[in-house]
Amino acid sequence: MKLDKFLLVQNMAFLISIPPESNLAKLLSFCLVAKARKNTSGAEIIKMTCELMENPSNLPYWTQDVMGLDLDYSTEEWKALGEMGIKDAGEFMATVWQELENLSL
């Protein structure tokens, strides 16, 4: 199997394994509705996301930056952000890490 197809298979299996009510699912749902401008590079988005992984307490700022990537704060983005129910960014992300550790693939 080609590497790109195998990567897709891995990612699909990962997504299927995530409980829909989990913080991880809510975070990924937010990511799926967020849009970037055509001239936003993948490297830029990876850099932004790596910075979040290094400092999870910046989650509220990160979500705003991601929503603004296309210069349009859409209704879908606001809805997904609200469904995340972030009261404490550090706690939210700690739960995400725990959920990741508990996944069995």
Side-chain angles (χ1 to χ4, degrees):
M1 183 180 301
K2 290 173 115 180
L3 181 59
D4 56 341
K5 286 184 181 178
F6 183 69
L7 184 60
L8 178 60
V9 166
Q10 282 183 309
N11 285 306
M12 289 172 66
F14 170 74
L15 291 170
I16 292 167
S17 300
I18 298 170
E21 68 285 347
S22 67
N23 282 4
L24 180 56
K26 293 172 188 175
L27 178 61
L28 294 174
S29 292
F30 171 80
C31 293
L32 287 171
V33 299
K35 303 290 181 257
R37 284 177 287 177
K38 290 184 182 178
N39 62 348
T40 305
S41 72
E44 233 178 298
I45 296 169
I46 288 173
K47 182 179 182 244
M48 287 176 63
T49 306
C50 284
E51 289 170 1
L52 171 66
M53 298 304 123
E54 292 170 11
N55 194 353
S57 63
N58 282 342
L59 179 62
Y61 304 106
W62 180 84
T63 57
Q64 293 301 305
D65 289 344
V66 168
M67 288 173 66
L69 282 173
D70 64 351
L71 305 176
D72 177 32
Y73 291 77
S74 72
T75 303
E76 294 83 10
E77 290 170 332
W78 283 114
K79 182 179 180 221
L81 178 61
E83 289 173 354
M84 289 171 73
I86 303 167
K87 293 177 181 57
D88 179 309
E91 185 179 307
F92 182 92
M93 291 302 289
T95 301
V96 167
W97 304 140
Q98 188 61 52
E99 292 166 351
L100 277 170
E101 286 179 22
N102 292 341
L103 282 181
S104 57
L105 292 176

